[in-house]
Amino acid sequence: YTILKNKGIKTIDIMVATHPDEDHIGGLSGALNYSSVDTVLSPVTSHDTKTFNSLSKYVSKQGKNFTVPKAGDVYNLGSARINIIGPINNSSDSNNQSIVLKVTYGSTSFVFTGDAEEEEESSILKKFKGLECDVLKVAHHGSNSSTSNAWLKATKPTYVVIPVGKNSYGHPTQNTIDKLT
């Protein structure tokens, strides 16, 4: 909310709720309280948590519905192209239901992974080629459950970003840091 307000951004073209975990959608309601949205991508349309129900309320308040994208869908955002590359399979594990995106802007590309784990990485690798990217958002805060060697070989990132704060899970793990190094 604060960044949108400081930048004077009143409209969000595409909002991505990668999956319903609070640490991935917790700030989206505040953003929708300030700005309007055109499209809200989410892997689910309902989830029984206070955070998701709040997000759903703000989406509905704007007369919008969640759009559940399928792997292979493409969205254009200005001159950027957003390819949905996951999730591939339905899973009871919300991490493996994460929306995974490859965003290409000019000659620069990014892969955003949500909390997709090795199982989902493997499914994506079987379905898609051309996953090389300049910037990889490392999945699941650098946990041991993600960022397989096969995934790194396929994405070949120049840079990686690990969104993580102080936590009791030990993220990012030394194993993940070693693979990235």
Side-chain angles (χ1 to χ4, degrees), residues 32-173:
L32 291 179
N33 191 36
Y34 177 77
S35 299
S36 64
V37 67
D38 291 333
T39 302
V40 182
L41 302 179
S42 173
V44 295
T45 58
S46 66
H47 189 72
D48 193 25
T49 62
K50 183 178 177 183
T51 306
F52 192 88
N53 290 335
S54 174
L55 175 59
S56 184
K57 178 182 86 172
Y58 282 99
V59 169
S60 293
K61 194 175 180 178
Q62 292 195 18
K64 304 292 181 178
N65 294 308
F66 291 107
T67 298
V68 179
K70 295 179 188 68
D73 287 353
V74 176
Y75 295 85
N76 292 307
L77 183 61
S79 58
R81 181 179 172 97
I82 302 169
N83 292 73
I84 307 296
I85 57 174
I88 303 295
N89 304 309
N90 287 328
S91 175
S92 58
D93 179 350
S94 68
N95 290 337
N96 283 327
Q97 281 298 108
S98 290
I99 294 174
V100 182
L101 316 164
K102 182 173 182 183
V103 179
T104 305
Y105 179 73
S107 63
T108 305
S109 60
F110 306 80
V111 172
F112 297 96
T113 56
D115 276 351
E117 297 183 352
E118 284 190 35
E119 175 186 335
E120 184 59 22
E121 291 173 356
S122 179
S123 295
I124 292 169
L125 292 174
K126 288 175 187 167
K127 184 169 177 100
F128 291 100
K129 302 294 178 226
L131 297 176
E132 298 85 3
C133 60
D134 297 292
V135 181
L136 172 66
K137 196 290 287 180
V138 173
H140 206 187
H141 318 285
S143 74
N144 278 330
S145 65
S146 304
T147 319
S148 66
N149 287 325
W151 183 251
L152 289 174
K153 184 177 178 182
T155 56
K156 297 181 182 114
T158 304
Y159 302 99
V160 296
V161 177
I162 305 174
V164 66
K166 186 175 182 177
N167 65 84
S168 60
Y169 301 106
H171 298 157
T173 64

